Amino acid sequence: MSHLIETLAAYQARDPAARSKLEVFLLYPGVHALIYHRVAHFFYRHGWSFLARCVSQWSRFWTGIEIHPGAKLGRRLVIDHGMGIVIGETAEVGDDCLIYHGVTLGGTGK
């Protein structure tokens, strides 16, 4: 729960259009994608990769933001106008980062 509260506070601090934590929680696709990712990442870490991918694909369909369940995301990450963001399995995003639309992270260079 503390991750969610920190995330909502980070959105309010970095987005001047965010009026309340409730608005951010209900209406911001970046927040929804992060919540889905936390669930998918849990399944991924526990070896339930098919279920993890199902959750991540649902999140992609619902939010337009694709985050692989194996990606490592830091705390207080803000995804602003997230359409077209792809965060791959090898990506590691640190704490207090801000990501805008149309960004691809990760990859092995192959």
Side-chain angles (χ1 to χ4, degrees):
M1 188 60 124
S2 66
H3 280 286
L4 179 59
I5 292 169
E6 283 183 345
T7 299
L8 297 177
Y11 269 83
Q12 274 193 298
R14 293 191 182 115
D15 187 351
R19 290 175 176 67
S20 71
K21 285 181 178 65
L22 181 62
E23 177 187 27
V24 171
F25 177 72
L26 293 175
L27 302 176
Y28 280 53
V31 172
H32 300 156
L34 292 172
I35 292 169
Y36 283 125
H37 172 72
R38 300 286 182 212
V39 172
H41 190 66
F42 173 84
F43 291 143
Y44 186 83
R45 282 192 342 253
H46 288 84
W48 300 333
S49 56
F50 180 79
L51 188 54
R53 291 293 300 201
C54 286
V55 171
S56 71
Q57 289 300 305
W58 172 255
S59 176
R60 178 179 178 253
F61 168 76
W62 189 250
T63 66
I65 300 166
E66 183 174 349
I67 306 174
H68 189 280
K72 295 176 183 153
L73 305 182
R75 297 170 78 105
R76 298 172 303 276
L77 172 63
V78 173
I79 299 174
D80 193 17
H81 301 285
M83 187 60 73
I85 288 179
V86 178
I87 301 176
E89 181 178 17
T90 60
E92 294 184 28
V93 180
D95 295 340
D96 301 306
C97 289
L98 172 62
I99 300 175
Y100 292 103
H101 66 283
V103 174
T104 300
L105 302 173
T108 60
K110 294 181 182 178

